[in-house]
Amino acid sequence: MKFNPYTIREDFPTLNRMVHGKPLIYLDNAATTHKPKQVIEAIKDFYEKYNSNVHRGVHTLSQEASSLYEEAHEVTAKFINAYSWEEVIFTKNATDSLNLVAYSWGLKNLKPGDEIVITIMEHHSNMLPWRNLELLKGVKVKYVDINDDGTLKYDELERMVNERTKIIAVTLMSNVLGTINDVKRIVKIAREVNAIVVVDGAQGVPHMPVNVRELGIDFLAFSAHKMLGPTGIGVLWGKKERLEEMMPLKVGGGTIKDVTLDSVEWNDLPWRFEDGTPNIAGSVGLSVAIEYLRKVGMENVRQHEIELTRYTLKRFEELKDALTWYGPQELSMRGGIVSFNIEGLDHHAVGKALDLLGIAVRTGMHCTHPLHYRLGIKGSVRASFYIYNVKEEIDTFVDSLRTITNVANILSLAQIDRDRCTCG
């Protein structure tokens, strides 16, 4: 289909909202995306027609629900070019997926003295599970720094990796800097010491073509809700041989073929890692969201975000005396995320002022405290784009920042005059 963000917007009911009397401008897509009516209707349709638990049921509704659930695995596998749908495990979210790798693979395969290399730009979800393994297994976590432009120090990574390195865990795209890491280069470094590569794809998979075979990685984690799907369902993809090396961490219903008082026979992949009743409706929503993105074209998604980011940074030049933004200048090395601060203004105050103007952004440290400390800031304002954002929204956004800056300057001058006033 021909990419047209103005036509795409018609599929998203939430974009018709008014916020504080202003048309909603939604620039918080790195936190979660809105859902097209196709996804909403598919979930509604499931509950109205097919609602039943999956697997083991011989009645019609259970068979139909099972088919939809298994089909969602196949659709997801094709989207990332997995070798097989058996390699696709449905979890709660990307955080859950990364924890599954850390504990199910890490607890079984790591030993004291082993090393895990991650980057300082990682989301806490791709940092804290590995740090927990320091306590549980006596391994050591090492951190690769960034350059001043927000790119990874690959030379430092190469020096840091050695025979003790068992895991390199890295984000495909930083949720603050927008930095797109060279995963193929990282894989090459890892393979020299037989380390595995775990990729946090929460920000990358929704915004660019991702082919796990071409990347050569071992594990990939991502979430449905950041790519037009519902909340409460995520994906862990892993090479079959790596998944076979994992022990089921959460066990019970659905994870076994047979249990006696003396033994357990675990279920086939991926079911041994999908304990209990899964998010069946969520899998239906994810499947439809993926088909929606496939029709849009992931190359189109990527190109659209490059254009929006280029336009935003160009307009930011108008505020260069008051505004500082973070991340690579080269657009080929960054995604559709722009984090920034306005001099003299608290990031939360800027976010609230934008909200009063109908503009939704994210403020704070974005679950990347060590990265913010490395940047020397206590937080930032983050604008993030997706397929339904348009340049006119960027214009309103930047014009609003100018207004906020001007008002802040006026109030600052007024406060100075008041402080100087000695009259009673």
Side-chain angles (χ1 to χ4, degrees), residues 212-228:
V212 294
R213 299 193 203 191
E214 289 185 359
L215 291 176
I217 60 180
D218 297 278
F219 292 101
L220 175 70
F222 56 100
S223 293
H225 73 96
K226 295 181 187 292
M227 49 188 290
L228 308 182

Side-chain angles (χ1 to χ4, degrees), residues 262-276:
D262 300 313
S263 64
V264 176
E265 183 182 1
W266 298 115
N267 209 340
D268 297 329
L269 292 172
W271 317 127
R272 75 181 66 163
F273 295 110
E274 295 187 3
D275 55 292

Side-chain angles (χ1 to χ4, degrees), residues 193-394:
V193 295
N194 295 317
I196 69 168
V197 178
V198 181
V199 174
D200 175 2
Q203 297 300 333
V205 173
H207 301 281
M208 66 186 75
V210 173
N211 185 325
V212 294
R213 299 193 203 191
E214 289 185 359
L215 291 176
I217 60 180
D218 297 278
F219 292 101
L220 175 70
F222 56 100
S223 293
H225 73 96
K226 295 181 187 292
M227 49 188 290
L228 308 182
T231 56
I233 183 166
V235 177
L236 173 64
W237 169 84
K239 284 184 177 178
K240 188 173 182 178
E241 57 264 39
R242 294 290 173 247
L243 295 175
E244 295 286 4
E245 294 171 351
M246 292 166 54
M247 63 177 185
L249 182 66
K250 296 179 289 183
V251 297
T255 63
I256 60 92
K257 283 185 176 180
D258 190 29
V259 176
T260 70
L261 294 181
D262 300 313
S263 64
V264 176
E265 183 182 1
W266 298 115
N267 209 340
D268 297 329
L269 292 172
W271 317 127
R272 75 181 66 163
F273 295 110
E274 295 187 3
D275 55 292
T277 297
N279 186 349
I280 310 166
S283 76
V284 171
L286 169 60
S287 181
V288 175
I290 287 174
E291 291 297 350
Y292 190 99
L293 288 171
R294 283 169 63 93
K295 289 179 180 178
V296 170
M298 293 309 297
E299 290 286 358
N300 291 329
V301 175
R302 173 72 180 125
Q303 187 57 42
H304 181 61
E305 292 185 15
I306 288 175
E307 292 173 1
L308 290 179
T309 305
R310 178 185 290 113
Y311 189 68
T312 300
L313 296 180
K314 180 180 178 181
R315 291 231 43 200
F316 271 10
E317 286 295 312
E318 302 169 20
L319 302 172
K320 61 183 179 181
D321 292 336
L323 185 148
T324 300
W325 57 270
Y326 311 99
Q329 299 219 6
E330 176 56 52
L331 292 176
S332 65
M333 301 173 65
R334 67 177 300 144
I337 291 174
V338 181
S339 296
F340 64 94
N341 275 306
I342 294 179
E343 184 178 356
L345 293 180
D346 178 77
H347 51 279
H348 291 309
V350 173
K352 186 57 184 176
L354 287 170
D355 175 63
L356 294 174
L357 297 171
I359 303 171
V361 295
R362 183 69 41 166
T363 60
M365 299 180 85
H366 316 302
C367 293
T368 56
H369 290 200
L371 174 59
H372 278 77
Y373 297 143
R374 166 64 177 83
L375 296 172
I377 54 178
K378 297 181 179 180
S380 59
V381 184
R382 183 183 69 192
S384 49
F385 314 125
Y386 212 29
I387 56 176
Y388 39 65
N389 291 123
V390 293
K391 288 184 177 180
E392 289 84 350
E393 293 181 310
I394 305 301

Side-chain angles (χ1 to χ4, degrees), residues 410-421:
I410 292 171
L411 291 176
S412 177
L413 289 172
Q415 181 64 43
I416 292 173
D417 289 342
R418 179 183 175 187
D419 292 341
R420 289 174 177 172
C421 181

Side-chain angles (χ1 to χ4, degrees), residues 43 46 54 65-73 75-76 90 224 230-233 274 278-290:
I43 295 172
F46 170 79
V54 296
S66 297
S67 294
L68 289 170
Y69 187 62
E70 291 169 9
E71 180 184 351
H73 285 75
V75 169
T76 305
F90 286 158
T231 56
I233 183 166
E274 295 187 3
N279 186 349
I280 310 166
S283 76
V284 171
L286 169 60
S287 181
V288 175
I290 287 174

Side-chain angles (χ1 to χ4, degrees), residues 176-191:
V176 175
L177 302 170
T179 305
I180 298 173
N181 287 312
D182 188 345
V183 172
K184 289 183 180 181
R185 182 175 178 180
I186 294 170
V187 168
K188 185 178 180 180
I189 296 169
R191 295 301 179 243

